[in-house]
Amino acid sequence: MARIHLVRNKEDIAPEHHPLFDELAALRGLISGPSTVVLNSPPLARPWNEISEYLHRKSIVEDPHAELAVMATAREKDCRYVFSAHVRIGRRVGVPEASIECVRGKTDTAGLPEHDAMVITYTRQLLRQNRVQQPVFDFLLNAHGPAWLIELTAWIGRYGALAGIINAFEVPADEGAEPLPAMPFTTPPTGSPVPPPAAQPRIPLVNDRDMVPPEQQPIFDGVIKARGAVRGPFALVMHSPPLAKLFVDLDSYLRTESPLQGPLRELIMLATAREKDCRYIWAAHVPQARQLGLSEATIAAVAMRGDLSALLEAERDTAEYVRQLLRTNRVPQQLFDRIRNRHGVPWMVEMTCLMGQYGILAGIINACELAPDPEREQLPLG
């Protein structure tokens, strides 16, 4: 049984949100899975959902490769709901059974079609190590180009985020779901050495209007209007301008309209950056966290993966929620209950989605090895 009430019927939400419910239900025929959780915060639901709709309807990643990456992500996140749903789709679009079983069992990719093996390896390395080895990155980049690789990485990050929602709120898999056997957790232990990003990113930053096709330059202009410049992860995602727009729209909501404001919002982003070993996001958000009043003790405890017990209760529980969900794919019931009782369900939904959004951006940054300005505060490696 799920930990919260799942929104499956429009009577479950306020009447002013019924048109939104009808709009989202019409896209897939019903409201199911992560949407039943996210609709507990209706204002978030549209910008959150639009990224999935783009990936499923317009992504340049071929269906078999996209579905294989989703299945591999679900396996790494121990999310039976997502795995089962996408095994059915994967078979329909032609993913070989041997590739599906390799993912299900976390077995070696030897003997699989080369592209399947590389997509699985890319997904595993990114989620287990927060980095992708150069030969794997180069194979996919040379085969498909930067836009394809950015979108593949977005598929992985997006379904990592959706699996996080399913796992945190314990949304049960459908009856008769594909088996997903329990496996040893494969994320390296905290403190494992993580190499620093390269001096230059692995693909060019799209930070000049003339680098974008003329018909998509209005998107570039819109990102500048929203953020002041096209930089950081958005200059990487701009290889796929329509996707970049959707990420910026969601980011704008989370920064300006979400109930997540103040130091706890920055703490969620810092804790996510720490677990993802993402120096760029850490460097960008530490100054804002301090400006909003996050204590030095909390910043240090997160940076060093230290003991959280002496922190203020709200900060301790927030940081621990991020740690537990990203390290173990689950959240202990007592911790879940404390946060829900303190902040309410919509706040928890938005917290989990904020983790998901910054997890996606961290994955893109890490895969492409975008380094922060060396003059900024650096996140300790490992």
Side-chain angles (χ1 to χ4, degrees):
M1 180 178 294
R3 284 170 157 171
I4 63 170
H5 179 73
L6 302 178
V7 178
R8 301 186 187 278
N9 304 293
K10 64 182 175 183
E11 291 75 25
D12 294 330
I13 55 177
E16 61 265 29
H17 300 303
H18 287 181
L20 171 64
F21 182 97
D22 291 338
E23 177 185 334
L24 297 180
L27 293 170
R28 304 288 175 89
L30 77 167
I31 299 295
S32 62
S35 293
T36 64
V37 174
V38 178
L39 272 167
N40 279 275
S41 182
L44 171 64
R46 178 177 282 109
W48 179 260
N49 188 70
E50 285 178 345
I51 295 174
S52 287
E53 290 306 310
Y54 172 85
L55 291 173
H56 282 282
R57 297 174 187 274
K58 299 181 180 179
S59 174
I60 63 174
V61 179
E62 304 86 352
D63 287 346
H65 292 144
E67 292 302 326
L68 186 56
V70 170
M71 285 185 277
T73 301
R75 171 69 277 187
E76 296 303 310
K77 294 294 182 180
D78 295 320
C79 185
R80 188 182 181 196
Y81 185 104
V82 171
F83 182 82
S84 179
H86 287 269
V87 164
R88 294 193 292 270
I89 301 171
R91 290 189 177 118
R92 189 168 68 240
V93 300
V95 178
E97 199 66 28
S99 298
I100 293 173
E101 291 309 311
C102 172
V103 168
R104 190 197 311 268
K106 291 187 176 180
T107 57
D108 192 272
T109 60
L112 298 183
E114 188 175 25
H115 265 77
D116 284 14
M118 285 296 181
V119 168
I120 294 169
T121 301
Y122 184 94
T123 306
R124 288 175 175 175
Q125 288 183 357
L126 187 58
L127 294 178
R128 295 179 187 181
Q129 303 165 16
N130 294 325
R131 296 292 186 273
V132 176
Q133 294 175 7
Q134 193 71 49
V136 177
F137 188 94
D138 288 346
F139 177 93
L140 294 174
L141 179 65
N142 293 335
H144 300 285
W148 187 97
L149 193 50
I150 287 293
E151 292 200 1
L152 178 73
T153 312
W155 275 100
I156 295 165
R158 179 64 175 183
Y159 273 85
L162 296 177
I165 293 170
I166 294 290
N167 289 341
F169 293 91
E170 296 192 351
V171 179
D174 295 336
E175 186 175 352
E178 287 270 346
L180 192 64
M183 302 285 288
F185 197 59
T186 46
T187 296
T190 57
S192 298
V194 176
Q200 296 296 324
R202 285 168 159 172
I203 63 173
L205 299 178
V206 181
N207 51 16
D208 186 286
R209 192 175 192 267
D210 292 337
M211 298 174 72
V212 177
E215 67 274 14
Q216 294 178 327
Q217 288 177 354
I219 294 176
F220 188 94
D221 297 338
V223 174
I224 290 179
K225 183 177 180 181
R227 299 192 60 84
V230 179
R231 59 177 175 263
F234 301 104
L236 294 168
V237 185
M238 191 57 70
H239 281 280
S240 175
L243 184 58
K245 177 186 182 301
L246 299 178
F247 275 122
V248 169
D249 289 347
L250 177 57
D251 199 64
S252 295
Y253 169 83
L254 290 168
R255 286 188 298 110
T256 63
E257 299 178 51
S258 170
L260 300 173
Q261 298 298 327
L264 289 184
R265 181 191 67 192
E266 296 300 319
L267 175 56
I268 295 163
M269 290 186 277
L270 290 182
T272 302
R274 170 68 280 179
E275 296 306 310
K276 293 291 185 179
D277 293 312
C278 185
R279 302 179 92 192
Y280 189 98
I281 291 176
W282 180 272
H285 286 275
V286 160
Q288 298 176 43
R290 288 195 176 101
Q291 186 177 5
L292 290 170
L294 193 65
S295 71
E296 289 297 329
T298 299
I299 293 171
V302 171
M304 303 307 296
R305 292 190 167 103
D307 181 25
L308 303 174
S309 60
L311 303 183
L312 295 174
E313 186 177 12
E315 294 181 0
R316 179 200 69 205
D317 287 348
T318 299
E320 186 64 21
Y321 183 96
V322 176
R323 283 184 178 181
Q324 290 293 327
L325 187 54
L326 293 181
R327 294 181 186 180
T328 73
N329 297 323
R330 297 294 183 269
V331 177
Q333 188 67 53
Q334 289 185 341
L335 174 61
F336 187 96
D337 290 344
R338 286 199 303 271
I339 297 176
R340 177 177 54 187
N341 293 340
R342 184 181 300 118
H343 297 291
V345 169
W347 194 96
M348 286 195 79
V349 169
E350 300 226 358
M351 172 190 186
T352 311
C353 289
L354 180 65
M355 286 176 57
Q357 166 79 340
Y358 275 80
I360 299 170
L361 296 178
I364 292 169
I365 289 167
N366 289 342
C368 296
E369 296 205 350
L370 177 63
D373 186 325
E375 295 182 358
R376 287 183 175 245
E377 183 173 335
Q378 302 296 306
L379 178 65
L381 292 171

